[in-house]
């Protein structure tokens, strides 16, 4: 982003030109956003309130929900507001904030997914040592490392991106300030530094991805050796949701950032960005609670307690 004072705003991608389609986009994003807020909020409340869920797996799941709430709140509300008010503008500082928060939260989430794979590996492959290795202090350190690595990721990429001079207008062909789209506005070779940083980040992410894959190869090898069908079912129910979340988030994000320019098109870029930035925060709570009896029971308690409390308050106020 240019240091020039003349560049004080960017124009984001408009989903539609007609008022009806703008309102349709607003309604769809509002539904997805509310679903993400509700689902992740319920998981945070369930894990925090139910002492049976005070285990490493659910502690990391709570952190994942916090990352999801932050990431979808970074990208979706501004796009919704633009559609509602029929505008495309975002301020320079707002764009810089989106760049930082996107790299911070998406990078941190990827680190956390790697930690969660390690947690599942220890639980399945080294169950006798699980309590020792995954103690509360170790879990807090791992979660802090995920948040810290995300913050550093956001800081480095944002500092580098805002130093790039731009001279090809201020139109960003995406519904939020995505770095590959901003780099297209550059008019000097200085953008290659950010490209290099993206490649280094991608290499680190690929290393994490290989670690996740190798962990799951060993996990599934161990699961298939479990003699009881019930034991295998429990092990799979713990691991498959995490694997589904990893695949959805990583595959779309990798392809969005690393695909060759020849495959780039506005429609494909938009679809991929929605798939990695908007869909996972909304569906992750559903994926994790679908096959998990403990979590479903805790969610039922939170929902029933919420409705019971609100009903009691309403009765009290009525009296």
């Amino acid at each position: 982003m240019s240091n020039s004072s003349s560049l004080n705003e960017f124009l984001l991608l408009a989903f539609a030109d007609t008022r009806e389609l703008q309102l349709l986009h607003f309604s769809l994003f509002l539904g997805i956003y509310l679903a993400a807020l509700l689902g992740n909020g319920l998981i945070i409340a369930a894990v925090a309130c139910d002492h049976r869920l005070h285990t490493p797996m659910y502690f990391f799941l709570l952190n994942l929900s916090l990352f999801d709430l932050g990431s979808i709140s970074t990208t979706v509300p501004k796009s919704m507001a633009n559609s509602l008010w029929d505008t495309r503008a975002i301020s320079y500082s707002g764009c810089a904030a989106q760049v930082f928060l996107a790299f911070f939260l998406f990078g941190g989430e990827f680190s956390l997914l790697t930690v969660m794979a390690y947690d599942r590996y220890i639980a399945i492959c080294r169950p006798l040592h699980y309590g020792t290795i995954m103690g509360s202090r170790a879990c807090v350190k791992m979660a802090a490392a995920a948040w810290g690595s995300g913050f550093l990721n956001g800081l480095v990429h944002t500092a580098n991106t805002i130093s790039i001079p731009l001279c090809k207008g201020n139109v960003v062909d995406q519904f939020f300030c995505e770095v590959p789209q901003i780099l297209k506005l550059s008019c000097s070779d200085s953008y290659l530094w950010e490209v290099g940083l993206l490649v280094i980040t991608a290499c680190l992410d690929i290393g994490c991805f290989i670690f996740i894959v190798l962990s799951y190869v060993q996990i599934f090898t161990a699961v298939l050796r479990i003699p009881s069908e019930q034991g295998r079912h429990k092990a799979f129910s713990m691991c498959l949701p995490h694997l589904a979340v990893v695949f959805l988030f990583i595959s779309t994000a990798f392809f969005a950032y690393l695909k060759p320019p020849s495959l780039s098109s506005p429609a494909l870029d938009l679809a991929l960005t929605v798939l990695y930035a908007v869909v996972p925060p909304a569906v992750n709570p559903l994926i994790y609670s679908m096959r998990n009896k403990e979590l479903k029971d805790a969610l039922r308690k939170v929902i029933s307690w919420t409705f019971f409390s609100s009903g009691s308050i309403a009765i009290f106020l009525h009296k």
Side-chain angles (χ1 to χ4, degrees):
M1 284 181 273
S2 173
N3 293 321
S4 170
S5 58
S6 61
L7 186 59
N8 54 19
E9 71 174 19
F10 291 89
L11 298 178
L12 298 176
L13 178 69
F15 273 83
D17 297 325
T18 66
R19 192 64 187 142
E20 291 78 9
L21 290 176
Q22 285 175 341
L23 292 175
L24 177 63
H25 161 247
F26 170 80
S27 301
L28 287 173
F29 264 33
L30 178 62
I32 293 171
Y33 186 56
L34 290 177
L37 291 181
L38 178 63
N40 288 291
L42 283 173
I43 283 183
I44 291 168
V47 174
C49 297
D50 195 325
H51 67 91
R52 293 177 305 168
L53 302 186
H54 293 175
T55 64
M57 183 174 80
Y58 294 110
F59 170 71
F60 294 134
L61 182 56
L62 181 148
N63 280 269
L64 181 66
S65 289
L66 291 173
F67 275 121
D68 282 339
L69 283 177
S71 62
I72 199 167
S73 296
T74 297
T75 59
V76 168
K78 179 59 180 174
S79 181
M80 286 165 48
N82 281 2
S83 287
L84 186 62
W85 303 116
D86 191 20
T87 180
R88 297 172 57 192
I90 183 172
S91 66
Y92 179 90
S93 56
C95 192
Q98 280 195 336
V99 169
F100 170 74
L101 289 171
F103 273 105
F104 169 26
L105 295 163
F106 291 133
E109 181 162 338
F110 191 68
S111 298
L112 187 68
L113 289 171
T114 307
V115 169
M116 292 172 78
Y118 177 70
D119 171 64
R120 293 301 84 213
Y121 164 74
I122 299 297
I124 302 292
C125 299
R126 301 181 65 185
L128 298 179
H129 302 280
Y130 185 74
T132 306
I133 297 173
M134 301 302 294
S136 57
R137 185 173 294 182
C139 291
V140 169
K141 286 180 180 178
M142 290 178 193
W147 286 94
S149 65
F151 182 82
L152 184 62
N153 189 46
L155 208 61
V156 170
H157 282 283
T158 306
N160 200 58
T161 302
I162 63 175
S163 68
I164 297 171
L166 307 179
C167 63
K168 296 180 181 177
N170 65 341
V171 179
V172 179
D173 288 329
Q174 196 51 267
F175 68 92
F176 72 98
C177 288
E178 191 182 44
V179 166
Q181 301 300 329
I182 294 173
L183 295 184
K184 292 179 181 180
L185 306 177
S186 173
C187 53
S188 74
D189 290 339
S190 59
Y191 80 94
L192 292 174
W193 285 104
E194 176 59 20
V195 172
L197 272 177
L198 288 173
V199 171
I200 292 170
T201 302
C203 290
L204 293 172
D205 289 344
I206 289 170
C208 290
F209 182 66
I210 291 171
F211 174 84
I212 292 171
V213 170
L214 291 176
S215 297
Y216 271 96
V217 167
Q218 296 187 65
I219 286 169
F220 288 134
T221 302
V223 168
L224 293 173
R225 291 201 195 105
I226 296 175
S228 71
E229 186 177 341
Q230 186 179 1
R232 285 196 300 271
H233 175 77
K234 185 177 179 181
F236 277 124
S237 68
M238 286 196 304
C239 297
L240 288 179
H242 179 253
L243 200 57
V245 169
V246 167
F247 179 78
L248 176 64
F249 177 70
I250 293 176
S251 59
T252 51
F254 273 13
F255 195 64
Y257 277 80
L258 299 179
K259 67 181 184 303
S262 58
L263 291 179
S264 184
S265 72
L268 179 61
D269 291 346
L270 178 60
L272 286 171
T273 303
V274 169
L275 281 174
Y276 84 78
V278 178
V279 174
V283 302
N284 283 356
L286 185 64
I287 292 172
Y288 273 105
S289 60
M290 195 177 294
R291 295 169 60 95
N292 190 316
K293 187 178 182 301
E294 285 181 336
L295 186 56
K296 281 195 283 192
D297 290 343
L299 288 171
R300 284 193 199 100
K301 284 184 180 179
V302 169
I303 293 169
S304 61
W305 180 83
T306 303
F307 279 105
F308 177 76
S309 297
S310 60
S312 299
I313 292 169
I315 291 169
F316 175 77
L317 291 174
H318 182 69
K319 288 180 179 180

